[in-house]
Amino acid sequence: MSARRVGLVGARGHTGRELLRLIGERDDLDLVFASSREWAGRPVAEMAPEITNGLDFEALSPDDVAARKVDAVILALPNGAAAPFVAAIADDCVIVDLSADYRFDEAWTYGLPEIYGRDSLIGARRIANPGCYATAGQLAIAPLRGQLDGDVHVFGVSGYSGAGTTPSRKNDPEALADNLMPYALSGHLHEQEMARHAGETVRFTPHVAAFFRGIVATTHLTLKTAMSADAVRALYEQAYAGEALIRVIADIPEVRDGARQPGAVVGGFAVGADGHRLVVVSALDNLLKGAAVQAMQNLTLALGLPEGSYRPSPL
Ligand SMILES: NC(=O)C1=CN([C@@H]2O[C@H](COP(=O)(O)OP(=O)(O)OC[C@H]3O[C@@H](n4cnc5c(N)ncnc54)[C@H](OP(=O)(O)O)[C@@H]3O)[C@@H](O)[C@H]2O)C=CC1
Ligand SMILES: CC(=O)N[C@@H](CCC(=O)OP(=O)(O)O)C(=O)O
């Protein structure tokens, strides 16, 4: 079968850069457009040498995108910008949206294959890609769904690439130097996203730090039935058995265990003396399993292609 034709909107961004690499590394996908208003006219290979087909960046409107004959479009736009593209693109074209815009929409498939399965993704045409902290938190919660009491607390620390390229205090290296910045102390969208999909009440406190990429989520859970740390770890090993992108370890994962890695690491598994209070730590790269790698898993499943294997990012 010939390679499937894919377009990328938001190609200048942090996740766009990783997506260019990941698409360029596959023989069964052909990138047919890469949209950026700021970089329009420049060769894509100048920014992403993995793209070798001579493509230039273009500034494409929703109608321009809709007029291209492609099998799939990946939207890597800031929150709130996807709707005109979604409205214009044909129903039979796959859309994978990286923003938060459709993560609460019943008509879209929420694509986190290791937790919610692959069946609903095969042949799906509208896929909402999960958020980065929300992926880390849900990986820590999912194996214990139905076995928890009370609220789940997720303490998250992200690298500043999580804040995108639009200048703000959260991606200003000067404001972040020798600093840790808490923000959105209640009601962050990922708090609602975790609660909706994991089916637990979640309290989430995000922080951003001076490193560029990577996330650690330290998750506090209360077990209905007392368990040992070994038993908890065995349960997570079983839940993620056979999942190439999820590694379960006994040690406590750190940011550098997840940064640049295509998958996530889940570990720590500390149980309090009462046997009920549990802390689980997950680490991943916000741009990879938190965004672009997950989008590639979702895209390939939707197109009926092998999910493929992923190597650490050289970027
Ligand atoms: N960064 C991260 O860690 C993660 C990000 N996400 C989500 O992925 C999406 C992309 O994030 P990220 O790559 O960080 O974002 P960036 O800010 O780095 O990039 C945004 C991209 O969108 C383009 N763009 C911005 N506004 C518009 C618009 N109104 N119309 C068309 N194009 C526009 C920009 O290029 P140009 O201006 O040149 O057109 C740029 O290519 C966001 O929704 C984000 O929430 C999800 C998980 C993790
Ligand atoms: C450090 C930082 O600012 N991180 C972003 C999360 C990144 C993200 O991509 O979230 P969405 O896809 O849900 O927008 C934030 O807290 O909003």
Side-chain angles (χ1 to χ4, degrees):
M1 191 196 262
S2 55
R4 310 302 289 273
R5 293 163 58 80
V6 177
L8 173 62
V9 186
R12 177 179 62 81
H14 291 317
T15 60
R17 175 66 189 92
E18 289 288 357
L19 284 161
L20 289 171
R21 173 180 72 82
L22 291 166
I23 296 169
E25 284 173 356
R26 291 189 69 118
D27 294 334
D28 53 3
L29 296 177
D30 188 17
L31 185 72
V32 296
F33 64 81
S35 179
S36 159
R37 299 160 307 172
E38 210 170 301
W39 287 352
R42 295 166 70 169
V44 175
E46 208 176 79
M47 303 298 172
E50 305 84 5
I51 301 296
T52 53
N53 60 2
L55 210 61
D56 289 338
F57 289 105
E58 300 172 88
L60 299 177
S61 70
D63 287 341
D64 296 332
V65 169
R68 300 296 173 96
K69 291 282 161 270
V70 290
D71 297 299
V73 176
I74 305 177
L75 299 176
L77 302 169
N79 288 341
F85 291 92
V86 172
I89 292 168
D91 290 346
D92 62 351
C93 175
V94 173
I95 301 178
V96 180
D97 178 38
L98 270 72
S99 80
D101 296 356
Y102 298 96
R103 294 179 197 153
F104 299 86
D105 189 325
E106 289 292 340
W108 286 58
T109 304
Y110 184 72
L112 207 173
E114 292 85 356
I115 299 179
Y116 304 111
R118 291 169 169 83
D119 291 353
S120 61
L121 287 161
I122 295 168
R125 290 293 171 263
R126 295 290 178 269
I127 300 169
N129 214 55
C132 44
Y133 291 113
T135 298
Q138 286 175 94
L139 288 171
I141 298 167
L144 287 166
R145 270 180 302 174
Q147 301 183 58
L148 297 171
D149 248 350
D151 300 346
V152 174
H153 292 250
V154 181
F155 174 91
V157 181
S158 169
Y160 65 86
S161 59
T165 54
T166 303
S168 76
R169 274 197 91 229
K170 289 196 285 152
N171 56 21
D172 174 357
E174 213 167 284
L176 290 165
D178 302 320
N179 199 6
L180 178 67
M181 210 181 273
Y183 64 99
L185 297 181
S186 73
H188 190 290
L189 259 180
H190 292 202
E191 180 176 276
Q192 298 163 47
E193 185 182 334
M194 286 185 264
R196 177 188 170 96
H197 295 286
E200 302 288 342
T201 305
V202 177
R203 308 285 176 222
F204 169 53
T205 45
H207 300 69
V208 60
F211 56 90
F212 181 68
R213 59 195 297 164
I215 276 187
V216 152
T218 300
T219 300
H220 296 248
L221 311 118
T222 307
L223 298 165
K224 273 187 190 153
T225 308
M227 284 174 87
S228 69
D230 284 348
V232 171
R233 192 176 87 227
L235 198 137
Y236 280 70
E237 280 168 352
Q238 195 183 356
Y240 297 124
E243 290 296 354
L245 291 174
I246 314 295
R247 196 157 59 93
V248 176
I249 63 171
D251 290 342
I252 305 172
E254 300 181 354
V255 168
R256 60 174 63 160
D257 297 315
R260 291 196 172 74
Q261 299 304 315
V265 190
V266 185
F269 306 115
V271 178
D274 65 356
H276 291 274
R277 200 183 145 236
L278 167 69
V279 184
V280 178
V281 177
S282 37
L284 52 76
D285 191 308
N286 52 300
L287 302 177
L288 298 176
K289 185 58 184 162
V293 163
Q294 193 131 270
M296 293 299 288
Q297 288 180 275
N298 290 330
L299 174 76
T300 51
L301 284 163
L303 291 173
L305 300 172
E307 261 177 80
S309 54
Y310 300 91
R311 32 182 206 100
S313 175
L315 300 175

